[in-house]
Amino acid sequence: LYALKLQHPGAVHFNRGNHECEMTNYQYGFAGEVEVKYEKKLMELFSETFRHLPLAHVLENQVFVSHAGLPGPEERLWEEWYATAPDEAAGYLIRKQQVSLNDIAAVDRAVEPNPDEHPLVIDFLWSDPKGANGYGPSTRVPGVYTFGPDIAANFLQANGLKYMIRSHETKSAGHQETVKGVYT
């Protein structure tokens, strides 16, 4: 894939996803496979290159492409009751200042994701859309949030975009409009 990117830099686009993180690579076996077939230092090289992959792209000035989701709430509140009452949590989890494409471009992406230290990185790698408005707690990882159709619409409108494409979840039909304007 890297060779294709070098050969066709304007036509091949990579985004970093949650599987381009050390923790996930060790948890799901990619690191072990690389270390058995090759050597440990090659896994270190993979990890370093993965950390430098873009978190998102904009295609044709219209389409936002991210592996998972959108910026989460400004205050990273996490209460135990969120899991049992996610719809009520949406009232507490808000973003007043919209994140711009320039803000995203300025994020230090060459890090391992940590919701406390690098919240935008974790959002682009792990968050998912949900049917209800607002933000909600994710069941995937503590400190990760879901986003509703209002969050997606506000982000797209603020950045002059038409829709979003994401690849974090598989869909039986191959794709699905998970919330209005967001295609998985």
Side-chain angles (χ1 to χ4, degrees), residues 9-182:
V12 176
H13 302 283
F14 292 151
N15 276 343
R16 184 177 180 189
N18 61 313
H19 284 265
E20 286 75 43
C21 301
E22 280 188 65
M23 175 192 73
T24 308
N25 284 324
Y26 279 94
Q27 183 177 358
Y28 291 106
F30 178 67
E33 182 180 345
V34 168
E35 291 173 7
V36 167
K37 289 181 177 179
Y38 306 103
E39 53 187 286
K40 186 174 180 127
K41 70 180 181 182
L42 186 57
M43 189 58 221
E44 294 168 7
L45 181 61
F46 272 125
S47 294
E48 184 65 20
T49 62
F50 291 161
R51 282 189 285 273
H52 289 276
L53 291 174
L55 296 172
H57 284 89
V58 175
L59 302 176
E60 302 289 328
N61 295 315
Q62 299 179 66
V63 183
F64 183 76
V65 182
S66 169
H67 173 72
L70 295 172
E74 287 166 315
E75 288 190 73
R76 296 297 168 135
L77 306 172
W78 196 263
E79 304 289 338
E80 291 300 317
W81 65 267
Y82 289 177
T84 57
D87 291 337
E88 285 97 27
Y92 293 92
L93 302 169
I94 59 172
R95 173 168 288 286
K96 294 178 185 172
Q97 174 88 27
Q98 191 54 255
V99 174
S100 72
L101 297 176
N102 288 335
D103 295 333
I104 295 167
V107 169
D108 179 7
R109 65 182 191 246
V111 297
E112 288 301 314
N114 177 315
D116 296 325
E117 296 172 15
H118 311 287
L120 286 178
V121 174
I122 204 98
D123 294 337
F124 291 118
L125 303 182
W126 285 98
S127 67
D128 292 311
K130 66 182 183 96
N133 281 335
Y135 291 103
S138 173
T139 57
R140 291 181 185 269
V141 179
V144 174
Y145 298 90
T146 58
F147 60 94
D150 60 326
I151 304 298
N154 291 343
F155 175 82
L156 294 171
Q157 181 180 19
N159 287 289
L161 301 167
K162 291 186 177 179
Y163 55 95
M164 174 183 181
I165 297 175
R166 55 186 300 277
S167 57
H168 190 48
E169 302 169 289
T170 58
K171 299 298 176 186
S172 58
H175 62 86
Q176 178 184 358
E177 187 175 18
T178 46
V179 299
K180 185 170 176 41
V182 178

